[in-house]
Amino acid sequence: MKASACPAMTHSTVRGRIQYTHDRYGVNGREWFTITVAPDRSQTIRAMCEMDDIGLLRDVTYSVGPSFQARDCSSRLSMRDSFQGSSWFWFHDNEVECEGLMANGGRFSQRVTLSQPTPVFACHPLYCDGWHAAAYDHGSAEKSQLLRDCTNSSMPLDGSAAPSVGVVEKKLEYVGREEVEVPAGRFIADRYRIHPMRRENPEWTPLDFWVRPPEVLFVKLRWDMIEMTYELAELEGDFGILGVETAKSQRHR
């Protein structure tokens, strides 16, 4: 009997690399990512991040719904080849749950109640920082919008603490549409500005980032305070279900 062919998988896949560059020291980090888009328009990113200056290695798998609402995430962190922590996050209604293991603290559990579903979860891959744009309401007259109950997996700006739930407020501003050139090519992108609202870090300055609509593709992020620029350096694949044409593969190593 002739075997029947397996049905074709229906998700689309995009892969790429982001380059981390310091104004004075040059390239000091990188991030590889793979994104799958399901037929219902939900997305899952698998990212590996390296930061040479502090010896950080981060592995993250994070899933969002069709409107970029957080669903679940796993994050593992090591510093200079030493394990720091590993955690799993689950988002439902107005709660965030976390089950984790810290190198210096052992097993722990968290259940954090919010006033609303979290508008943003910052799990620290740079690509996911671009997903902040999905929380902006372009139908509102407010140019700068306050985002309450934003969550993250590590409170330091470089995400160097073992992963656990943090809660902050942010102000998100839409700057406008611009043409941006990065190593991966030239893109028409929307520019946004994040104004940190953390009272414990009043010295933190705004940062700007650029994403290509409609799939909210990360293109670039710039933060003057830390003299860092993060740019899309390679891109290949097809956002398919989102109606975006296949990107031409670019390789700059």
Side-chain angles (χ1 to χ4, degrees):
M1 181 181 293
K2 186 176 179 180
S4 59
C6 293
M9 299 186 74
T10 55
H11 66 272
S12 52
T13 303
V14 175
R15 298 179 179 87
R17 177 173 62 88
I18 297 171
Q19 181 171 283
Y20 304 175
T21 306
H22 191 277
D23 289 353
R24 288 173 289 157
Y25 309 130
V27 175
N28 71 347
R30 61 215 56 83
E31 175 179 314
W32 291 271
F33 62 86
T34 298
I35 298 169
T36 52
V37 184
D40 69 351
R41 303 174 69 90
S42 62
Q43 300 185 48
T44 296
I45 182 171
R46 302 153 187 85
M48 184 179 77
C49 314
E50 296 179 343
M51 301 174 72
D52 300 335
D53 52 345
I54 59 175
L56 180 149
L57 178 62
R58 180 188 299 111
D59 292 279
V60 171
T61 299
Y62 175 38
S63 293
V64 296
S67 300
F68 293 90
Q69 63 271 32
R71 285 184 169 175
D72 58 81
C73 178
S74 62
S75 178
R76 188 183 194 279
L77 181 71
S78 64
M79 299 282 287
R80 305 197 186 283
D81 300 321
S82 177
F83 171 76
Q84 299 298 303
S86 179
S87 295
W88 175 77
F89 303 83
W90 183 43
F91 304 84
H92 55 104
D93 298 328
N94 297 0
E95 287 189 333
V96 185
E97 293 188 54
C98 176
E99 294 291 334
L101 174 66
M102 291 187 179
N104 297 324
R107 280 289 308 271
F108 70 93
S109 298
Q110 287 178 287
R111 183 187 291 267
V112 179
T113 301
L114 309 172
S115 63
Q116 61 181 339
T118 186
V120 170
F121 176 59
C123 48
H124 287 288
L126 266 294
Y127 193 99
C128 298
D129 287 344
W131 283 351
H132 279 66
Y136 189 87
D137 180 5
H138 284 272
S140 171
E142 292 183 80
K143 185 177 180 181
S144 294
Q145 300 175 7
L146 181 63
L147 303 181
R148 296 183 173 87
D149 293 322
C150 298
T151 53
N152 60 53
S153 64
S154 185
M155 292 296 278
L157 63 88
D158 55 9
S160 57
S164 62
V165 180
V167 183
V168 297
E169 290 184 343
K170 299 178 182 180
K171 186 171 285 187
L172 183 61
E173 176 186 356
Y174 178 64
V175 179
R177 184 158 292 184
E178 302 176 355
E179 186 173 32
V180 182
E181 187 165 2
V182 294
R186 185 171 296 173
F187 299 87
I188 301 299
D190 286 332
R191 180 178 181 177
Y192 296 84
R193 182 168 294 142
I194 297 175
H195 300 267
M197 303 287 287
R198 289 175 55 176
R199 296 177 179 84
E200 63 270 32
N201 294 104
E203 74 280 5
W204 284 21
T205 63
L207 62 90
D208 286 23
F209 68 95
W210 292 255
V211 296
R212 184 182 74 177
E215 76 280 16
V216 198
L217 168 73
F218 176 93
V219 176
K220 179 179 177 180
L221 186 148
R222 171 66 191 182
W223 198 353
D224 288 339
M225 188 185 82
I226 57 174
E227 302 179 280
M228 288 291 298
T229 301
Y230 306 87
E231 297 175 299
L232 186 63
E234 297 179 30
L235 179 65
E236 60 179 323
D238 187 356
F239 277 96
I241 201 75
L242 299 179
V244 182
E245 294 181 0
T246 301
K248 182 180 179 182
S249 177
Q250 302 279 343
R251 301 202 176 272
H252 302 266
R253 297 194 181 275

